[in-house]
Amino acid sequence: MSKNILSDISRDFIYKLIEKGQRLDGRAKTEFRKVEVETGYIGTAEGSASVRLGNTRAVVGIKSILGEPYADTPDTGVLTTNVELIPLASENFESGPPGRDAIEIARVVDRGIREGKAIDLEKLCVTPGEEVWINFIDIHALDYDGNLFDCANIGVNAALKSAMVPASQHDKGEDYPFPVKHYPISATFVKISGHMVADPTYDEESVASSRLTIATVENGNLCAMQKGLGGSFTRQEVDQAMEIAIEWGKKVRSEVLNIG
Amino acid sequence: MSKNILSDISRDFIYKLIEKGQRLDGRAKTEFRKVEVETGYIGTAEGSASVRLGNTRAVVGIKSILGEPYADTPDTGVLTTNVELIPLASENFESGPPGRDAIEIARVVDRGIREGKAIDLEKLCVTPGEEVWINFIDIHALDYDGNLFDCANIGVNAALKSAMVPASQHDKGEDYPFPVKHYPISATFVKISGHMVADPTYDEESVASSRLTIATVENGNLCAMQKGLGGSFTRQEVDQAMEIAIEWGKKVRSEVLNIG
Amino acid sequence: MSKNILSDISRDFIYKLIEKGQRLDGRAKTEFRKVEVETGYIGTAEGSASVRLGNTRAVVGIKSILGEPYADTPDTGVLTTNVELIPLASENFESGPPGRDAIEIARVVDRGIREGKAIDLEKLCVTPGEEVWINFIDIHALDYDGNLFDCANIGVNAALKSAMVPASQHDKGEDYPFPVKHYPISATFVKISGHMVADPTYDEESVASSRLTIATVENGNLCAMQKGLGGSFTRQEVDQAMEIAIEWGKKVRSEVLNIG
Amino acid sequence: MGGAKTDIKLIDENGLRFDGRKPDELRPIRIEANVLKRADGSAYLEWGGNKVIAAVYGPRECHPRHMQDPLRAVVQAKYNMASFSVSDRKRPGPDRRSQEISKIISEAFEHVIFTHLFPRTSIDVYMEVLQADAGTRCAALTAASVALADAGIPMRDLVSSCAAGKVQDTIVLDLRKEEDNFGEADMPLGIVPRTGEIVLLQMDGDLTLEEFNKTMSLATEACHKIYELQKDALRRKYGVTDDEDVQESVDAVAESVPDRQEEAEEAFEDEQEES
Amino acid sequence: MGGAKTDIKLIDENGLRFDGRKPDELRPIRIEANVLKRADGSAYLEWGGNKVIAAVYGPRECHPRHMQDPLRAVVQAKYNMASFSVSDRKRPGPDRRSQEISKIISEAFEHVIFTHLFPRTSIDVYMEVLQADAGTRCAALTAASVALADAGIPMRDLVSSCAAGKVQDTIVLDLRKEEDNFGEADMPLGIVPRTGEIVLLQMDGDLTLEEFNKTMSLATEACHKIYELQKDALRRKYGVTDDEDVQESVDAVAESVPDRQEEAEEAFEDEQEES
Amino acid sequence: MGGAKTDIKLIDENGLRFDGRKPDELRPIRIEANVLKRADGSAYLEWGGNKVIAAVYGPRECHPRHMQDPLRAVVQAKYNMASFSVSDRKRPGPDRRSQEISKIISEAFEHVIFTHLFPRTSIDVYMEVLQADAGTRCAALTAASVALADAGIPMRDLVSSCAAGKVQDTIVLDLRKEEDNFGEADMPLGIVPRTGEIVLLQMDGDLTLEEFNKTMSLATEACHKIYELQKDALRRKYGVTDDEDVQESVDAVAESVPDRQEEAEEAFEDEQEES
């Protein structure tokens, strides 16, 4: 986030540690924080999850309504991803419509889900050209300690996994599970003083020069990437990040989402 | 209103008077200002009133259009109350969409009308589930000298009393009077230096610590209440206010609205 | 534009020149700058033009979509004119929705086109009361050196002249040229130190006290006028401006638009 | 102009208009000065089916700050139509039309107000159209002018305003709604009566040069009549009996300017210290 | 009140409510203090089908600047419903209802917070309704009160809140969604438990004077029960064992005020220098 | 990627694309520097069916103020699509997509501009897409880079940009609209040509690791070609004849930096005094 302010002392300390390959919270450079997920957290939502990545915490809720499909995709449901960086979650978040930071996170999370073909959108069509399910994925940050990209990504995957299409409520037959085909998992890295670290905390983000998010699917293929912040990456760094991202994806799918 | 600024001298003077049970304009503590109402003031509106409460002045206009009912109330008309605190009326009002002050007044006035069952909304239905009258009650403050809550409330009651549903203009049969069943009248009180006074002026509002509005109907029942500002009320004060509110309601209905 | 800031020296120099009947760029007081127009500039638009008036430059694009007519004009197409003073074009333009300056230009250009009966709007009706062409005329300033009123006016005329109604694309028969009946041309004047000059530059606008725009059609009739800025005009000045406006209209139609 | 077609006969065989007026006849006009307590100056105006109220605040601290002019007062006029002022309910808030009108009215007043006397301040003019029947911008400008005088704002003169236009080939004064909707031209004019200077001028429709001249003359004459009504309203309020006296009272305001300027300066300094 | 008709029997022949509660019975309530790392204070509350999280930041620099009060802290409470908290998805952002609730909750806290200790600052209270089942404003106020204490904001007392109302002619406590939709009256109340002062009071529906008195008494009693739950939550977090100790810890906070005030003043000065 | 189905044969039996290009072939590109009078620097670019104009203002006073950085210039890039630039009219104003693109382009330039030379200022980069045919963010970044050089903004190097992707299982360079809509992957890349550093990278679709490597190499090569076209455009404008000279002229700009910095500082001081 753009307005992180860290004292010069903390900044220097993080720099010194990273030169020795160390991090403030004792993690290795390529290590992610602990993930905790609770699905079905919100009874009023079609699917939901409360998710923690270290001290970063978010709630994801999915709501589905009936509506018209887009003209160019008459037989597929609609997906909308929205991130709310509510001021409750950080002194740096402001009230008001989503700013650039929130929009970037929402679009990167959305891109992962969409391009990773997470959902079989054709199964969210009721009557082609007339009526489809419009699905809102809303991500609320609750406690911000860095890397909302990956925290939100896991939360959305978990919420989708537990979601039911509310068909019966609208006289459209029986409820059925969301048609999830894939679980695209993202991994985010930042560069601090020339060193690449995975899953940055708030303090680490505040001294990072560049950020890279990579989303992968089950077979190890890439489905989305995003470079951010005012620094750069070398080709080798991108390759290295990719390997870690694939491993992280496998781990989240098996240990957090309990798939396959 | 939040930005009232009064010199320390005026403030002290109001305090001293109130300790003696007196007010700047000579009224008793539970006395309301004079009400003047002119209905049918706006020819382009379905119903309207120009209303003065002392030096506070507002214009109320009602416009009705045809539209769809809400899904959960298919056989009732729709009512929307809006207050515009236009900068013409006070140096403290700003241009722009309604702020918190305007919203609070609108919602309290609306609650009185709605909960007091002022209007038989079923008589504002044309075709159940398809077409009903959507009614906009717009309140424009013109001159602000305190207590717009009660000024607006009286104006809305008067405007409703004189309003005609514009059916013929839309080929829906003959025009007919708005189906008014009750006239819920509100009374507003503030606490100044521990003393409760009715119908505060602008200067009194600017030194008040808390505000209470109570709306009652013909049989003396309560239909709406709202406590405002950063102070408090005791249970006894609420009870006392209630009695005065019931009396004030009777007086307005008989002397201002000429009902019964 | 309101925020033009010019050094006192430049200002005095313009004043001194004008007293001698001269202008910074050597033009006579009633002389317009050179016009260059390129139509069909934007392939994605129904009609378009890139237009230069001296160093002032704009792009005009016309897009047409199908939609419902207004209730009171069921058998005529709809026309909407919008001016974007994007910050790319001048250090004085700001991002955001059109401000008062942009709105005034858009409305004056629109008034010329509309009141000059430039377009036979009935020929933009598909099915009376149901479906008509909704036409968006969007004017983007690219380089601002004064008098966007006339620059935009010429651009819109040129774009209309080259525009095709995209009927075939919507299965509404064959494409056909926009039904242009007239070419209303505007001429803009400002007063500097009591002298009236035509087609002001950015520097001239910044020292001008008042502005007058006059639009005329082929037969020399007036179709629109607009006085702007905080100064005044005498009746004689208006009469004089009118004569020049009629001549300028003829010249633009024959030399720039190649009509008749 | 609406340009819509109609079967309504707007001009009858006797050359009279559908409401019985002669072509050069104004609708009834009533102006009252000083109608509001809170505002520094105000006026209420009924003009045919138009009802307009105008209020003036200032000179006062200029908001937003970046609008401040170190050399003069900024005139910020805001024209607004109440949602219930027209037959189809208008959504609250400024639309493009009202923003344009606010702009040209602000500019019209800039010419007559001695803005240099109150640097860095704002003179805020609010015009609320409560009921509309064509010609509301002229009505608003006329009412606001009286409100400015009522607020004691030093001005070279009042601004007076009226429209004329063309209806079924006849040049007519002061169009009503039906004439505006189905007529061929409308031209709102605002002038400084003492000098004849034009400070507001718009036109839309179709006029030959000759018709334009006739329209212009008709509107100008009417502005002078309206000027008298404006002065009457001020006279009634301030108990002066003739033109001279109105002039004197205007002069008196002008003399008091140094005091007001001091006030303004003090206010500005206070504000500087606070911030 | 929704006022809509229903065939649902909200009160059965035994005088019990459709969810089996007695008329004067609260839904289950669970409060946890200090649940967030980033905020200065926080609390999580489950109250029947309501899930609310509250966070406090401040005293800190007041934004927007023009809201600053040179004599005291400004309390800026923001109540928000998550889009997925209700059965029909709510559009993100404040609607009129939530703006009103934010205003009255801000005002309720102004009465108990020692705002004069932190001039020019803002105390920002955020309440996020994650899941809603009627009574969310009382739940939000109750949770925010605990979050304020958790943030160490000096207060005269906590604020405790609960609603009562009328359902099918029975006065009942703590209405659920169905009772709110089809009932006859709802009255949210917020009090300062130690003094009984009323700091939040709304009512809508239809109540006789007698019914009002009964409703008021029911809600007031419940506020006192909720006060105990609030203190419990703080006690569990801070390891103190009885009421006295909570009081002491509140007093300790109050004693530390001079230090906090200095902090606030220093922060203010720093900021002045920077700007 | 659109992911929509199509019957269009995007790659023919000879391995050529539907517009006749080879998989690794760029569309025609034309760049012109210094095309606007008002802006401090500008460039016009045609790239296949894309038409983009870029303008640079600054270093200048930073608005809004709270964006100011006391240690460096802020780079504020704004990417915008004209309403008529696409087949379905786009509503004017920034949508979420253009806000994201503006953000990543701003960040890409932060890496090459010597921002520390102009503390507290803003370098504003405006990119207007007049006609769009896929790849507009690469086109905008490429044009803006030339505009920055034209404005004399000191930079370590230009930024060059191009996309590559996958269409019907073939890795192709520089996708057109149809290829973007019906293809399987798109990866826009922006690099600093002299060092190969990656400053902009996005990807969406489906790529194996091997395909990713191929795509990356293809896009990188193309960036170097585009770098030559950018330098050509600057060369043509400034009449220098070879690479060395362009380098020299860049160096000359760098040498003049102290002067510009003084200017910036003076401007800042003036502004401080004024406010």
Side-chain angles (χ1 to χ4, degrees), chain C residues 18 55 82 200 213 223:
Chain C
I18 204 73
N55 286 323
N82 185 44
T213 298
C223 61

Side-chain angles (χ1 to χ4, degrees), chain C residues 51-70:
Chain C
V51 55
R52 291 170 198 266
L53 178 63
N55 286 323
T56 293
R57 188 177 165 199
V59 172
V60 176
I62 300 171
K63 296 288 292 179
S64 303
I65 60 169
L66 288 167
E68 279 183 44
Y70 287 118

Side-chain angles (χ1 to χ4, degrees), chain B residues 161-200:
Chain B
K161 185 168 179 255
S162 71
M164 298 292 286
V165 179
S168 62
Q169 185 185 318
H170 296 85
D171 294 326
K172 301 288 171 187
E174 282 182 32
D175 291 1
Y176 58 97
F178 249 65
V180 183
K181 294 192 300 184
H182 297 293
Y183 294 91
I185 302 298
S186 74
T188 295
F189 306 85
V190 295
K191 261 171 80 177
I192 297 173
S193 193
H195 297 257
M196 201 169 65
V197 305
D199 181 22

Side-chain angles (χ1 to χ4, degrees), chain B residues 46 67-68 76 166 194:
Chain B
E46 271 58 275
E68 280 182 42
T76 63

